[in-house]
Amino acid sequence: NSEDVRCKCICPPYKDHSGHIYNKNVSQKDCDCLHVVEPMPVPGPDVEAYCLRCECKYEERSSVTIKVNNLILLE
């Protein structure tokens, strides 16, 4: 597969939980905290507040392009 897609959520520290980066292969429409952050580090009442602090971005990249660039750089 030449296309790699993922959703990356960067969640800062919250209460007594340290910050964490979550990655998951999901569709662009599912690129949000509720679909990517597993397991959820906070109990039910804190999920909304925790997720509002997370920044989630959908990313696409071409593995073939990356491999070709690496080969060129190595020569």
Side-chain angles (χ1 to χ4, degrees):
N1 188 3
S2 62
E3 289 296 322
D4 293 332
V5 295
R6 70 177 178 179
C7 181
K8 180 178 182 179
C9 291
I10 301 172
C11 301
Y14 177 77
K15 293 189 176 180
D16 59 344
H17 299 280
S18 60
H20 195 76
I21 296 174
Y22 299 89
N23 292 302
K24 190 172 182 184
N25 292 333
V26 295
S27 66
Q28 190 169 6
K29 70 177 180 67
D30 290 334
C31 184
D32 59 41
C33 174
L34 293 175
H35 289 97
V36 176
V37 176
E38 290 181 357
M40 187 61 67
V42 296
D46 286 333
V47 168
E48 185 177 1
Y50 180 80
C51 281
L52 286 173
R53 298 169 57 89
C54 297
E55 181 181 342
C56 298
K57 291 184 181 179
Y58 185 74
E59 299 176 342
E60 290 184 49
R61 63 184 185 175
S62 171
S63 295
V64 172
T65 302
I66 292 169
K67 289 176 185 175
V68 169
N69 285 340
N70 287 340
L71 287 173
I72 292 170
L73 290 173
L74 293 174
E75 291 182 1

